[in-house]
Amino acid sequence: MASSSSSKKIHADTTDKELTEQEEELEHFDDFTLASSWERFISKIEAVLRVWMSDGPKNLLEKGAVLLEDAGNLYKVKSEMKYAMKSYCMEFYFMTDPDGKLADWNFDLHDLQLCFGVKEFLVIAPQSASGVILDAPESSKLLSAIAIALSNCSSLVYINIWVCVLSRFFSKEVTVLWDSNFMVYRHLFPVHDPSRKAYIGIQSMGTVFTRRFEADRIGSQVPVKLMHLEGLYELFVSKFAYSTLDLSVHNFKVRCAMKLTFRTLPYDDDNMKDAKISKSGENLTGPMCNGTQWDDDCSWSEWYSAEDPVKGFELIAIWSEKMVESSMEMAELENASPHEAEKWLISLRLEGSSGNRVGFASELCLLVDALQVSFEAQFMEDFVSVENPGSDNLKSMVIPPPTVRDRVLKELFIEGVQFSDFADSRHKTSRAIKGAPLGSLFAQFCLHSLWFGNCNIRAIAVLWIEFVREVRWCWEESQLLSRMPANGSIDLSTCLINQKLQMLAICIERKCQLNEDYQDCIGSLDQIDFMSEEESVVGDDSFSLQTPSEDFFGKVDRKPEDLELLNEKKSSDLTRRGSAGIVDSMMLLKSHQSMHVPYTQEVPLMTEDMHEDRLKAVEAFGDSFDFSAQLERDILTSDMSAFKAANPDAVFEDFIRWHSPGDWEEDDDPEGSKSSSSSALDIKKSKDSWPPQGQLSKRMSEQGNLWRKLWNSAPALPASEQKPLLDPNREGEKVLHYLETLQPHELLEQMVCTAFKAAADTLCQTSYGELKQVETEMQQLYLTMASALRPLQVNCLSGDSEIVEDLRRLTIAFEQVEKLLALAASLHRKLIQAPRVSREIFNNYYNFYIQTTGKGLIEDIGEKEFNKKQEVKDHEREVLSNMFVPPTANQSWRKVLSMGNLLNGHEPILREIILSLRDRVSGNHYAARSGSVSQQEIETYRMYICGTSNDLRVALSVVSCD
């Protein structure tokens, strides 16, 4: 209590002035228990501790306790206070489930939990730049203050042994390593270096026993003896054995547990060259160790070389607790192979982000920027012209040199490259994106544009202009377009530029065919000119048609009508041309002959814009056939001419019955409905009934019908002799006119759609094993792309549209999937002989980020964020050990081996050992809360050792009777 109020009565008639004087005289009673600043400091600590202890873990969580990363269910609360002109921070680390024993090699343990084997603890340190205590008296005073405060709170203790107290402390000597058998090692970190991790502490065990803690670290020049397990064992024994004993000949039963961490060599160029193939010719480390880049066989390697997301692997070999009685047994343990360890664990080391990552996503983002700028000009030439009064930003854009441009064009128009469409049934939603198919000419142009210069609008304009010039040269020289199919129908699900290029490829092919037919015709005429007159006569005889005579048929009695029909049939057969066969059960109206199906010309190929123009013409004239669409007239006339040639005796009504059956109305047959069944004879009679009964529909029988006019004017010509419906010269020039006058924003819109589609299709071709998560992410990416790119397909984009921002967000989503797939591909290649390990590591990685972010990957992958360990089965150990390629002569100078437990010639990068000694306590040492405590076995000595040949950290806890 800091002050007390007066209990003296104040009379009612006392004036305010007198009351004030009396209060001043009686104010501030001195509490001599808080006379010094140190005692007041203890009081402040006690007040904070009482609050924490009364709240308990549940209330502390509600008040904002912080969960520590990578420390399981360990939480932290802190409080700041001042003492002797200094500020201190006291932190309380607690667990929500403090019951149970801590496992020695639990990877969720805090560093101090692992060092000292405690669950909950307090840490006090000054709030300074270094955060350390620089002298021993200050450290002792802090520990004493907290110990007294805890003792005063004993009535509120909710756990029997509640907390140990630690403080960051630095001295000039490493007292924890000091012993009469060893020198004092002074190779320490600088006093103000927090990485030294020096602590001293104390723990009240609720009895006459007290546990003291001390930890420190040697930063360099570790003594040779302490590099080996034998020396470390003797160091630990020296803490409780008599100093006069020879530790090497006396036995002490010490419990020992060990964990070794091995790390694969980084996948740098030197290691790739040195670690190729073993003497037996076996590839020890997978397909990436052949002196080339790790992703040379990946689908994206044609466009860029990705940074390997897998920096390496860490292999942890664990020996559980065993009893060791001499230093010789420790020496044997040091010579043991890691294959003898009870457990193997493997973890993934990820490559941290180093600036802008090269990949499709980064270039697609630049292409979206170019799309936004494309609205500033009407023609692509405006971005190239130096006289263009554009912004300074455009003038600063870099255009690659002509040699680069020529190389790209040569690769685009390389001869002999056939088009192979990308068809992957796993991702049918790829077809929903209106872009050019992967492998086509325009798709390759778009992918090359991503890497041409820095994908700015000026570089794209230069490449596009030269691209169109090269296309025109192919047209004029009748050279087939590479990467484009020259036959088949036009795929209307692709972008319009791809449709136009496909139309041009077909026009070039037909143009070449016409030239060949013309040359063949000229050659045949020249051959005929050289034929003799006798040869011509013989040729005429050989090709003369022989008509059946009366003698051939024999003498047959015929009616005059039959003879007339027979003569008509003979005449028709002689003049019929272009017949593809007879139409079943259909007879001509004016002659007793079967109707023949003609060969017709294929419907002219049309691109999307041509179809739209045709539909507009049809809509303008409604259902009437009196429309002026020339293409429709030409198609109908061609069919009529072919029908006439195949059926010389046909009339207009016959053509309607074949071409448009809906416009021929059959006459009702009331007699035919009387019987539901008919004999074969009746069917034959019905078939032989002639002429067919019926009439034209109303619209076909109208006066001045266009179809009848066309029929009357159509000549009888088979399809082979007709003028082609598709004029390749005219359609080819239309395509070139479209490409040369295409507006910049229209070009960039189609380029964005095609580039996204082609990039995703390229990634899909990567082999990554049986990973369903990657399949799901790719499917979701296609759906997202289809939704985000749909506005570009309906020409509703403007320069300041929000759609551009949606496209930028799409590039972020694309980058996340691209990183995910790169990791899957890298794991698959490095662990191709251990597919289960590869699959489990990736699953852990994927689930970690799903739980962390709630939606998948985050933007940056840090090495410390993911440290999930995967247990290795016995039959997989040999495969994983092969990743640790034996060091070569070129690598042997890098590091001098000074530790044991080698794995294929590699020493562990980290060795952790826990040495402990336990004693059974008897007697009345405990202030008994339970009768069984007096016979409890406690850990009297515990030493945690962590280090390598270059540094050594030791943490010691000792139980003593005060």
Side-chain angles (χ1 to χ4, degrees):
M1 184 173 63
S3 64
S4 174
S5 300
S6 175
S7 60
K8 186 176 182 180
K9 294 183 179 180
I10 308 298
H11 297 286
D13 56 345
T14 305
T15 63
D16 293 340
K17 184 176 182 181
E18 292 175 347
L19 180 60
T20 304
E21 291 177 353
Q22 292 176 4
E23 289 179 350
E24 291 177 353
E25 292 177 358
L26 299 176
E27 195 176 16
H28 297 301
F29 277 119
D30 289 333
D31 186 351
F32 290 99
T33 61
L34 303 175
S36 65
S37 60
W38 183 61
E39 290 169 335
R40 287 191 290 271
F41 182 57
I42 295 175
S43 178
K44 294 178 182 178
I45 295 175
E46 180 181 342
V48 173
L49 293 179
R50 287 178 180 272
V51 173
W52 287 348
M53 298 167 80
S54 61
D55 285 341
K58 184 177 181 180
N59 291 331
L60 288 178
L61 293 179
E62 295 177 356
K63 291 184 177 180
V66 179
L67 176 65
L68 273 66
E69 296 182 1
D70 303 328
N73 64 338
L74 189 66
Y75 293 83
K76 178 181 72 173
V77 291
K78 65 179 181 180
S79 178
E80 298 176 1
M81 55 198 68
K82 289 186 177 181
Y83 168 62
M85 304 300 293
K86 288 186 178 182
S87 296
Y88 294 92
C89 180
M90 184 171 64
E91 298 174 335
F92 173 41
Y93 296 80
F94 66 95
M95 302 176 69
T96 55
D97 53 345
D99 298 333
K101 181 182 178 182
L102 292 177
D104 289 335
W105 304 123
N106 186 347
F107 296 98
D108 292 334
L109 293 180
H110 186 271
D111 178 61
L112 293 179
Q113 289 178 316
L114 182 60
C115 286
F116 301 114
V118 296
K119 293 182 180 180
E120 299 176 330
F121 52 91
L122 284 170
V123 175
I124 187 168
Q127 290 184 306
S128 59
S130 61
V132 298
I133 301 169
L134 301 181
D135 56 72
E138 181 184 2
S139 176
S140 299
K141 187 174 292 187
L142 288 176
L143 291 178
S144 299
I146 296 181
I148 294 173
L150 285 173
S151 177
N152 294 339
C153 298
S154 60
S155 60
L156 296 177
V157 173
Y158 60 91
I159 298 178
N160 188 16
I161 302 176
W162 188 62
V163 71
C164 72
V165 184
L166 300 169
S167 61
R168 294 181 180 270
F169 172 68
F170 288 101
S171 64
K172 295 182 179 180
E173 298 179 352
V174 188
T175 57
V176 70
L177 295 176
W178 181 88
D179 188 77
S180 59
N181 294 331
F182 295 95
M183 60 177 290
V184 175
Y185 308 115
R186 298 178 180 272
H187 306 292
L188 300 175
F189 287 89
V191 172
H192 295 279
D193 189 356
S195 63
R196 180 173 166 182
K197 297 181 180 180
Y199 294 89
I200 62 171
I202 187 172
Q203 178 185 15
S204 174
M205 303 179 67
T207 66
V208 294
F209 289 100
T210 301
R211 177 176 282 136
R212 299 183 182 276
F213 307 96
E214 190 173 358
D216 214 328
R217 183 182 179 190
I218 298 175
S220 61
Q221 300 181 16
V222 177
V224 176
K225 192 167 187 177
L226 295 183
M227 295 181 187
H228 301 282
L229 297 183
E230 183 180 359
L232 296 174
Y233 169 80
E234 294 180 2
L235 173 65
F236 175 69
V237 172
S238 67
K239 298 302 177 180
F240 55 83
Y242 292 106
S243 59
T244 57
L245 294 178
D246 186 358
L247 302 180
S248 61
V249 298
H250 287 78
N251 295 336
F252 300 92
K253 293 184 177 181
V254 175
R255 300 176 185 269
C256 175
M258 183 170 66
K259 182 178 75 171
L260 303 178
T261 302
F262 298 89
R263 181 174 293 177
T264 58
L265 294 174
Y267 299 109
D268 54 20
D269 295 336
D270 293 338
N271 293 333
M272 292 299 101
K273 295 176 181 178
D274 294 334
K276 291 183 181 179
I277 306 296
S278 65
K279 293 182 179 179
S280 62
E282 180 185 2
N283 193 340
L284 296 176
T285 58
M288 66 282 186
C289 286
N290 54 3
T292 59
Q293 296 294 331
W294 76 273
D295 59 346
D296 277 350
D297 60 339
C298 293
S299 56
W300 63 75
S301 60
E302 179 184 357
W303 306 104
Y304 65 93
S305 179
E307 184 180 8
D308 194 347
V310 178
K311 189 176 182 180
F313 295 92
E314 284 189 356
L315 179 63
I316 299 174
I318 295 177
W319 281 262
S320 60
E321 191 176 84
K322 61 181 298 185
M323 191 70 69
V324 179
E325 298 185 1
S326 66
S327 58
M328 294 299 296
E329 293 185 19
M330 294 295 291
E332 294 176 0
L333 180 60
E334 183 173 334
N335 294 327
S337 169
H339 287 275
E340 301 177 13
E342 298 180 8
K343 182 184 293 187
W344 271 25
L345 300 172
I346 190 171
S347 62
L348 182 65
R349 296 176 58 237
L350 296 175
E351 184 68 45
S353 178
S354 56
N356 295 328
R357 184 179 183 272
V358 177
F360 282 126
S362 59
E363 303 306 311
L364 289 172
C365 186
L366 297 177
L367 184 61
V368 172
D369 295 339
L371 170 63
Q372 189 174 20
V373 180
S374 64
F375 290 89
E376 298 179 6
Q378 292 295 322
F379 301 99
M380 295 300 293
E381 289 79 5
D382 296 339
F383 291 109
V384 182
S385 175
V386 295
E387 299 178 356
N388 180 28
S391 62
D392 295 335
N393 187 26
L394 290 177
K395 295 180 180 179
S396 62
M397 294 180 179
V398 179
I399 300 178
T403 55
V404 178
R405 179 198 62 202
D406 295 340
R407 178 182 57 80
V408 172
L409 292 174
K410 183 178 180 180
E411 188 170 349
L412 283 173
F413 292 92
I414 187 171
E415 296 182 2
V417 177
Q418 299 295 328
F419 170 74
S420 57
D421 192 6
F422 172 77
D424 190 353
S425 59
R426 296 178 301 173
H427 302 291
K428 295 182 180 179
T429 23
S430 173
R431 305 287 296 179
I433 303 173
K434 203 172 182 63
L438 182 64
S440 63
L441 182 60
F442 185 62
Q444 293 296 109
F445 170 82
C446 294
L447 291 178
H448 275 288
S449 300
L450 296 178
W451 315 100
F452 188 70
N454 57 353
C455 196
N456 61 73
I457 187 63
R458 294 193 66 199
I460 294 174
V462 169
L463 188 60
W464 173 254
I465 293 172
E466 295 299 324
F467 174 81
V468 175
R469 288 176 182 173
E470 193 71 19
V471 170
R472 174 168 282 281
W473 180 88
C474 293
W475 164 252
E476 293 176 351
E477 299 297 328
S478 298
Q479 297 292 325
L480 297 179
L481 280 180
S482 61
R483 308 178 189 275
M484 294 302 298
N487 48 34
S489 60
I490 295 179
D491 189 357
L492 299 180
S493 65
T494 63
C495 62
L496 186 57
I497 293 179
N498 183 75
Q499 298 176 35
K500 293 291 184 181
L501 291 175
Q502 190 175 355
M503 170 71 81
L504 185 63
I506 295 174
C507 291
I508 293 176
E509 175 69 19
R510 297 192 178 181
K511 182 180 176 182
C512 294
Q513 290 179 358
L514 291 177
N515 293 335
E516 292 177 0
D517 294 341
Y518 176 76
Q519 294 297 331
D520 293 341
C521 181
I522 295 298
S524 62
L525 291 176
D526 294 339
Q527 184 178 4
I528 292 175
D529 291 340
F530 283 101
M531 294 177 64
S532 62
E533 185 176 354
E534 292 80 9
E535 292 173 339
S536 298
V537 172
V538 172
D540 292 342
D541 292 342
S542 62
F543 288 97
S544 63
L545 292 174
Q546 297 182 358
T547 59
S549 63
E550 186 72 21
D551 296 337
F552 178 81
F553 285 97
K555 189 173 182 180
V556 179
D557 294 334
R558 296 186 178 91
K559 296 179 180 180
E561 295 83 357
D562 295 337
L563 293 175
E564 183 179 357
L565 292 174
L566 179 61
N567 293 331
E568 291 179 0
K569 182 177 181 181
K570 292 178 182 179
S571 176
S572 299
D573 291 337
L574 292 175
T575 59
R576 179 177 290 110
R577 293 176 298 169
S579 172
I582 297 176
V583 181
D584 292 339
S585 71
M586 290 189 70
M587 306 291 291
L588 298 179
L589 292 174
K590 300 301 183 182
S591 62
H592 194 271
Q593 299 181 27
S594 296
M595 183 182 294
H596 285 251
V597 179
Y599 286 107
T600 59
Q601 292 194 59
E602 295 181 0
V603 177
L605 299 176
M606 290 185 290
T607 57
E608 187 176 12
D609 56 340
M610 297 170 65
H611 278 285
E612 292 177 355
D613 293 341
R614 181 185 179 190
L615 291 177
K616 290 178 181 178
V618 173
E619 292 176 358
F621 292 95
D623 294 334
S624 173
F625 285 86
D626 297 333
F627 55 84
S628 59
Q630 185 62 40
L631 181 60
E632 293 291 340
R633 295 168 62 94
D634 293 342
I635 294 174
L636 189 57
T637 302
S638 174
D639 292 345
M640 289 178 174
S641 296
F643 187 83
K644 281 185 175 182
N647 301 278
D649 299 326
V651 294
F652 177 68
E653 287 77 3
D654 293 323
F655 177 76
I656 294 298
R657 291 166 60 208
W658 168 70
H659 193 278
S660 181
D663 289 309
W664 177 258
E665 299 175 355
E666 296 283 351
D667 291 342
D668 295 335
D669 187 10
E671 297 180 356
S673 60
K674 296 180 181 179
S675 177
S676 59
S677 62
S678 60
S679 62
L681 182 61
D682 295 334
I683 296 176
K684 185 176 184 302
K685 289 181 178 180
S686 176
K687 184 176 180 180
D688 293 340
S689 61
W690 180 85
Q693 301 299 315
Q695 59 184 356
L696 292 175
S697 64
K698 182 179 180 180
R699 66 171 184 171
M700 284 298 177
S701 58
E702 291 178 353
Q703 187 68 25
N705 182 269
L706 178 63
W707 283 49
R708 186 176 291 275
K709 291 181 180 179
L710 293 177
W711 172 264
N712 295 332
S713 62
L717 288 176
S720 59
E721 299 179 12
Q722 296 177 12
K723 178 183 178 181
L725 291 176
L726 176 65
D727 186 353
N729 294 301
R730 181 183 61 189
E731 297 300 331
E733 289 297 335
K734 286 182 179 180
V735 170
L736 290 171
H737 176 73
Y738 169 81
L739 297 177
E740 292 170 345
T741 59
L742 189 62
Q743 294 187 356
H745 72 90
E746 294 178 349
L747 170 63
L748 267 296
E749 288 172 0
Q750 298 183 60
M751 284 185 64
V752 169
C753 292
T754 299
F756 270 100
K757 173 183 169 64
D761 290 346
T762 301
L763 294 180
C764 275
Q765 294 180 336
T766 303
S767 176
Y768 48 79
E770 299 177 358
L771 299 176
K772 295 182 179 180
Q773 295 90 339
V774 179
E775 185 77 16
T776 302
E777 288 292 332
M778 287 302 304
Q779 185 69 22
Q780 183 61 41
L781 177 63
Y782 275 116
L783 294 175
T784 305
M785 288 168 51
S787 176
L789 298 174
R790 189 171 292 112
L792 301 184
Q793 304 171 13
V794 294
N795 298 324
C796 63
L797 186 65
S798 60
D800 55 349
S801 173
E802 295 182 358
I803 300 175
V804 176
E805 295 302 322
D806 294 338
L807 294 176
R808 290 194 174 98
R809 286 189 286 269
L810 178 61
T811 60
I812 296 176
F814 195 100
E815 181 180 10
Q816 293 174 351
V817 178
E818 190 175 13
K819 288 180 179 179
L820 178 69
L821 195 141
L823 176 62
S826 181
L827 284 175
H828 176 64
R829 281 153 180 74
K830 293 177 175 61
L831 299 173
I832 193 171
Q833 296 180 352
R836 187 198 66 86
V837 177
S838 173
R839 185 169 56 252
E840 292 299 327
I841 290 177
F842 184 84
N843 290 345
N844 292 335
Y845 170 86
Y846 184 80
N847 293 333
F848 174 80
Y849 284 107
I850 289 293
Q851 295 174 0
T852 303
T853 65
K855 62 179 180 179
L857 299 177
I858 59 177
E859 295 184 4
D860 188 18
I861 300 176
E863 180 180 356
K864 296 182 179 180
E865 293 174 351
F866 177 73
N867 57 0
K868 183 76 172 180
K869 311 295 189 298
Q870 179 61 40
E871 186 171 356
V872 180
K873 295 183 178 180
D874 292 341
H875 68 276
E876 297 168 334
R877 291 190 178 187
E878 187 65 29
V879 175
L880 295 181
S881 64
N882 287 337
M883 293 192 302
F884 296 85
V885 182
T888 61
N890 186 37
Q891 299 168 334
S892 60
W893 62 269
R894 298 183 179 182
K895 193 172 184 181
V896 179
L897 300 179
S898 53
M899 301 171 63
N901 304 113
L902 301 182
L903 177 62
N904 291 346
H906 294 263
E907 68 177 12
I909 63 164
L910 185 65
R911 179 173 59 190
E912 298 173 81
I913 305 171
I914 296 178
L915 301 173
S916 62
L917 184 68
R918 297 179 183 176
D919 290 321
R920 183 170 292 277
V921 179
S922 60
N924 296 322
H925 297 292
Y926 288 83
R929 292 176 179 264
S930 63
S932 61
V933 178
S934 59
Q935 297 298 323
Q936 180 180 348
E937 185 182 56
I938 64 172
E939 193 175 57
T940 54
Y941 291 87
R942 185 184 189 276
M943 180 178 285
Y944 169 77
I945 305 167
C946 173
T948 65
S949 59
N950 297 322
D951 64 274
L952 182 66
R953 183 185 181 195
V954 178
L956 177 67
S957 62
V958 179
V959 176
S960 61
C961 181
D962 295 338

